[in-house]
């Protein structure tokens, strides 16, 4: 005998709501990093031959280092 579970519309709405919240939390950091990268590309905070000095660490943004 095969049992087919009944599925009500309210159960489906609850499942979609919970799934949406879970996916939203999962993609929050990814979307935040993506938008930060776009903002860096648009504002161009670094120019060619800029030197970034922080305490004793010195960086050259022309190297293949992410700016974020």
């Amino acid at each position: 005998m095969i049992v087919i579970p009944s599925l009500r519309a309210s159960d489906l709405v609850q499942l979609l709501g919970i799934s949406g919240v879970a996916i939203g939390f999962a993609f929050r950091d990814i979307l935040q990093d993506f938008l930060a990268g776009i903002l860096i590309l648009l504002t161009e905070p670094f120019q060619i031959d800029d030197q970034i000095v922080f305490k004793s660490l010195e960086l050259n943004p022309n190297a293949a280092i992410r700016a974020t």
Side-chain angles (χ1 to χ4, degrees):
M1 177 160 97
I2 299 174
V3 177
I4 300 174
S6 62
L7 183 64
R8 296 181 309 219
S10 63
D11 294 337
L12 184 60
V13 170
Q14 287 177 350
L15 179 64
L16 290 174
I18 292 171
S19 299
V21 169
I23 290 171
F25 277 122
F27 281 106
R28 185 187 70 191
D29 291 334
I30 295 170
L31 184 61
Q32 188 176 17
D33 289 344
F34 178 73
L35 293 176
I38 289 175
L39 185 62
I40 287 173
L41 288 174
L42 292 176
T43 59
E44 298 178 359
F46 305 117
Q47 302 297 323
I48 295 176
D49 296 327
D50 280 352
Q51 297 270 328
I52 300 170
V53 179
F54 178 74
K55 295 186 181 179
S56 64
L57 180 65
E58 187 171 332
L59 299 174
N60 182 353
N62 293 331
I65 296 177
R66 277 185 46 178
T68 56

